Amino acid sequence: MYASLVPTSAEMIRFLPELILTVVATLFMVLDPLLGRQSRHVYGHFSILALLGAMAAAVYVYRDPGAAFSGMLMVDGFATFFRVVVIGVGILTVLPSYRYLDREDAETGEYHALLLFSIVGQCVMVTANELIMIFIGLEISSIASYVLAGYLRDDRRANEAALKYFLLGSFATAFFLYGVALIYGMTGSTNLATVRRAILGGSLGSAPIFIGVAAALMFVGLGFKVSGAPFQIWAPDVYQGAPTPVAAFLSAGPKAAAFAIFLRIFLTAFQPIGPGWEPLVWVSALASMTLGNFAALTQSNIKRLLAYSSIAHAGYVLVALAARSNVGTAAAMFYMAAYAFMNIGAFAVVSHLSGKGERYLKVEDFAGLGAKQPGTAALLSIFLLSLIGVPLTGGFFGKFYIFKAALDSHLVWLTVLGLLNSAVAAYYYLRILVMMYMREPGEAASRIQPLTPGLRAALVLPALGTLVLGIFPGWVLDFAGRSSVFVR
Amino acid sequence: MLMDTILFYLFAALVLGGGILTITRRNAVHSAIFLILSLLGVAGLYLLQSAEFLFAVQIVLYVGGIMVLFLFVIMLVNLDQAAKEKQFNRQWTVALACAGLVGAEIFYFLAKGAGAFQLAKGTAEANTGMGNTERLADALFSQYLLPFEIASLLLLVAVVGSVVMAKKRI
């Protein structure tokens, strides 16, 4: 009997990426008092090594997919895809952080430890097949993110960002947890497949209404985490106040993980009541796209602009969720990968240009960047064109597949309104391009520092990713298509 | 049976009375002590439901650990100013409406009886002879082993995070 208490080695190996990251992050905190200030870059190097190791492990464990720890985890193609995405986001966040932390004279040890912990939480989320596991992963990821958002404690904006993020985030988590409790009360299980069977079995008596309530509560919680309207209020303030590399991380990593559990919960456990929640997602998708894009038109602060743009992009992914099909899931997976590349790249340029204390954050501060640093400007152009959705970039195929999936599911109006929205969005991205190439250099562009190796990698890698996804989308899309079928 | 009923009302009165006194006392230390009383009442209710483990946890964690932390914080923070403030703020009408709504909800379900809220069979499983604590341990260390262990990571992150936010400079 006691032998069954010990997890088998196959199960332990399926948990390997999280184990690697946890061990390294814990070591950072032990090493922090031992290493002096001159070794402040060591943490970054080891973070990258750990993340590369975890990514390799995530790919390796996919050779033997399956459940682990009494069905708590499900290592399938879907989980592997999102594990690689969130770990990749981690690498692309560490690279610009070297320069940023030096410039702002902040401590590096805890920063990288918290970043790794947050990624552990996201890996747990995307692998979990069980509501309690999802909740714990969500909380690990969120609590580490709250602290990262307020990491520069002497900065008033960062404090405000962290407090707002913490309060609203806790509120949203409470909604999610309330939904989980109702589900457990109704079905007697928190395992997604079992919940689905209980709903299908019809043995719930008067419960369907409560299942609907539970789905709505979880929708509120997850809607907040992906910053979909009407739960998007926090995003501009938090992205503006958080350190720029952290804002880049928040807009890609936790968001991708939240979308992963959104898709998994709503397309496995709540799949039988799909016609019930589809209108909710429909409205939320349209509201996110419209609110995000129209609010972004009037922003003068580049971080707020990117925050509103990230709300709009959440809307596009919600369109894929509303499609309720495997094609839609695959499109959402592809979009999150493409979005991670282009958005982190754009934020890395902002981090580079903004200077010490993040002084230059106006859209006008991009004036003349094309003349002063043509390489940086060219890379930013790639990211912006991809955010618009111009062909030959990942953003184009992301949008293309999402709207194709929506049409396949007969969501004609949502597709039309979404396409109109992406036309509106082109305006504010093009404004930055015009600023870069057609204006005389201003103060910000004249004072711009040369690129460090870390920053150069942080700009070139996402640009390569964006272009590869735009020119050869087939491989990633094939994989996404194959892994979009959930184990039910 | 009669004894159970008497005890139930005794503990319920303890919970409610303690709760009301907690929010009406001006002195924060008095409030904390009445909160302990209220939490003890909840512990008694757990025992009546033969949930011995929850009873022990309630006493050790809430009455013991968390309340001591509360008292420490109250003594560290200067509360003289707060004691002079008005006890009712402008939101009391909204709060009253919310409380009324929840109350109506509770009375509705009480009136409809157990049939109104059909629970799954798994959650209200019949007593299999094993004690409450043993069954909990069995679930925690077999099926829920991973969440149980990962929860410690959650606590670690919370501790690291609070130190990072609170410290001046290492």
Side-chain angles (χ1 to χ4, degrees):
Chain A
M1 166 176 184
Y2 290 102
S4 69
L5 291 183
V6 184
T8 64
S9 55
E11 286 178 316
M12 292 296 276
I13 283 185
R14 288 188 188 131
F15 199 52
L16 193 60
E18 288 84 355
L19 286 178
I20 293 175
L21 295 176
T22 310
V23 168
V24 174
T26 318
L27 274 181
F28 280 179
M29 286 180 304
V30 179
L31 284 180
D32 202 27
L34 302 178
L35 295 176
R37 248 190 96 74
Q38 62 277 17
S39 52
R40 51 191 276 113
H41 285 169
V42 168
Y43 303 106
H45 301 332
F46 275 102
S47 290
I48 290 183
L49 281 181
L51 288 163
L52 285 175
M55 193 185 272
V59 175
Y60 172 76
V61 299
Y62 183 55
R63 284 152 43 114
D64 177 27
F69 300 101
S70 340
M72 292 288 147
L73 300 181
M74 177 57 78
V75 178
D76 50 12
F78 184 79
T80 306
F81 185 90
F82 274 106
R83 263 180 174 174
V84 170
V85 168
V86 296
I87 294 171
V89 166
I91 295 176
L92 295 180
T93 310
V94 173
L95 288 173
S97 298
Y98 284 113
R99 176 88 188 91
Y100 188 89
L101 293 173
D102 281 353
R103 198 177 74 198
E104 307 298 332
D105 197 25
E107 274 125 27
T108 52
E110 290 96 351
Y111 178 88
H112 286 108
L114 285 166
L115 192 66
L116 290 188
F117 278 133
S118 182
I119 295 165
V120 172
Q122 287 150 29
C123 284
V124 169
M125 277 159 83
V126 302
T127 323
N129 196 33
E130 208 266 349
L131 290 169
I132 292 180
M133 262 335 268
I134 288 177
F135 171 72
I136 294 179
L138 186 65
E139 274 300 87
I140 295 176
S141 155
S142 303
I143 289 181
S145 312
Y146 304 148
V147 181
L148 282 175
Y151 197 73
L152 302 178
R153 271 166 301 120
D154 303 327
D155 186 283
R156 278 187 48 221
R157 279 204 176 282
N159 282 331
E160 184 195 328
L163 192 66
K164 271 191 183 154
Y165 195 25
F166 171 65
L167 288 177
L168 290 173
S170 313
F171 205 56
T173 318
F175 270 97
F176 180 81
L177 195 57
Y178 198 8
V180 174
L182 274 180
I183 288 290
Y184 182 65
M186 290 300 109
T187 65
S189 172
T190 47
N191 186 290
L192 294 179
T194 317
V195 170
R196 176 188 147 85
R197 275 198 297 277
I199 294 175
L200 276 179
S203 60
L204 298 170
S206 62
I209 176 92
F210 289 109
I211 296 289
V213 172
L217 288 167
M218 286 183 171
F219 179 78
V220 173
L222 293 173
F224 172 90
K225 297 288 173 193
V226 301
S227 71
F231 316 108
Q232 86 295 6
I233 302 289
W234 58 277
D237 289 343
V238 172
Y239 288 13
Q240 187 186 5
T244 310
V246 173
F249 175 70
L250 294 180
S251 72
K255 199 172 215 167
F259 264 120
I261 58 173
F262 215 141
L263 289 163
R264 203 189 272 272
I265 295 176
F266 276 74
L267 292 178
T268 55
F270 294 145
Q271 191 252 351
I273 54 166
W277 53 256
E278 191 195 294
L280 274 182
V281 179
W282 198 101
V283 171
S284 177
L286 181 61
S288 310
M289 291 190 290
T290 317
L291 271 172
N293 281 326
F294 279 90
L297 288 179
T298 57
Q299 298 304 318
S300 59
N301 181 302
I302 183 74
K303 280 165 94 178
R304 287 186 85 82
L305 188 148
L306 286 174
Y308 280 112
S309 118
S310 107
I311 294 169
H313 285 277
Y316 299 132
V317 185
L318 285 171
V319 171
L321 177 63
R324 291 195 291 129
S325 62
N326 292 337
V327 187
T329 308
M333 291 163 75
F334 185 89
Y335 200 86
M336 282 326 294
Y339 176 72
F341 280 129
M342 57 201 188
N343 212 42
I344 289 197
F347 267 112
V349 176
V350 173
S351 169
H352 174 49
L353 181 75
S354 61
K356 184 169 168 57
E358 302 201 6
R359 266 178 303 166
Y360 305 115
L361 287 173
K362 291 242 177 309
V363 175
E364 288 79 48
D365 288 331
F366 282 86
L369 186 65
K372 284 287 169 190
Q373 224 170 56
T376 312
L379 292 171
L380 181 59
S381 310
I382 294 178
F383 302 134
L384 292 174
L385 290 175
S386 179
L387 285 165
I388 298 174
V390 171
L392 291 183
T393 59
F396 169 74
F397 278 108
K399 281 208 182 70
F400 176 76
Y401 292 129
I402 282 182
F403 289 126
K404 185 173 166 297
L407 279 182
D408 285 351
S409 303
H410 310 293
L411 298 167
V412 180
W413 276 108
L414 195 56
T415 311
V416 170
L417 293 168
L419 286 172
L420 287 177
N421 250 299
S422 14
V424 172
Y427 172 75
Y428 57 82
Y429 295 125
L430 286 175
R431 197 153 62 104
I432 304 174
L433 279 178
V434 168
M435 210 47 99
M436 278 199 308
Y437 285 110
M438 304 194 178
R439 294 287 167 85
E440 289 301 306
E443 193 192 345
S446 320
R447 289 199 182 176
I448 196 164
Q449 302 283 316
L451 285 169
T452 59
L455 264 173
R456 195 165 291 148
L459 293 177
V460 172
L461 285 178
L464 279 179
T466 308
L467 290 177
V468 167
L469 286 182
I471 299 170
F472 310 108
W475 190 81
V476 174
L477 196 75
D478 274 353
F479 185 81
R482 267 183 287 130
S483 13
S484 61
V485 187
F486 294 105
V487 179
R488 283 170 181 153
Chain B
M1 204 61 215
L2 179 69
M3 194 63 194
D4 275 7
T5 317
I6 294 173
L7 279 174
F8 171 79
Y9 281 110
L10 194 72
F11 286 131
L14 211 59
V15 174
L16 281 180
I20 290 171
L21 285 170
T22 304
I23 56 167
T24 48
R25 293 302 90 191
R26 274 187 181 278
N27 187 323
V29 177
H30 292 177
S31 285
I33 288 169
F34 283 117
L35 186 58
I36 294 181
L37 205 65
S38 179
L39 291 174
L40 278 174
V42 176
L45 290 177
Y46 283 142
L47 197 57
L48 277 183
Q49 297 291 316
S50 53
E52 306 89 357
F53 184 73
L54 274 183
F55 164 75
V57 167
Q58 176 80 6
I59 299 268
V60 173
L61 278 187
Y62 281 84
V63 181
I66 293 180
M67 282 317 295
V68 170
L69 279 182
F70 267 28
L71 284 172
F72 270 136
V73 172
I74 289 171
M75 286 168 187
L76 283 177
V77 179
N78 188 6
L79 286 171
D80 292 343
Q81 185 64 32
K84 292 185 200 112
E85 301 254 328
K86 274 203 300 186
Q87 272 189 310
F88 286 90
N89 62 18
R90 271 177 300 160
Q91 277 124 19
W92 73 273
T93 40
V94 185
L96 192 68
C98 287
L101 204 68
V102 175
E105 218 174 339
I106 290 173
F107 276 108
Y108 173 76
F109 282 115
L110 277 180
K112 280 199 80 172
F117 202 77
Q118 198 176 355
L119 284 177
K121 292 198 178 63
T123 47
E125 208 175 315
N127 210 330
T128 51
M130 253 204 285
N132 181 284
T133 314
E134 284 94 325
R135 277 202 290 165
L136 195 73
D138 208 36
L140 267 189
F141 286 99
S142 56
Q143 199 194 344
Y144 290 97
L145 179 67
L146 188 62
F148 181 63
E149 297 289 347
I150 290 277
S152 59
L153 190 61
L154 175 59
L155 294 179
L156 177 67
V157 174
V159 169
V160 174
S162 55
V163 171
V164 167
M165 293 305 272
K167 78 184 175 188
K168 290 249 157 44
R169 193 96 199 171
I170 301 185

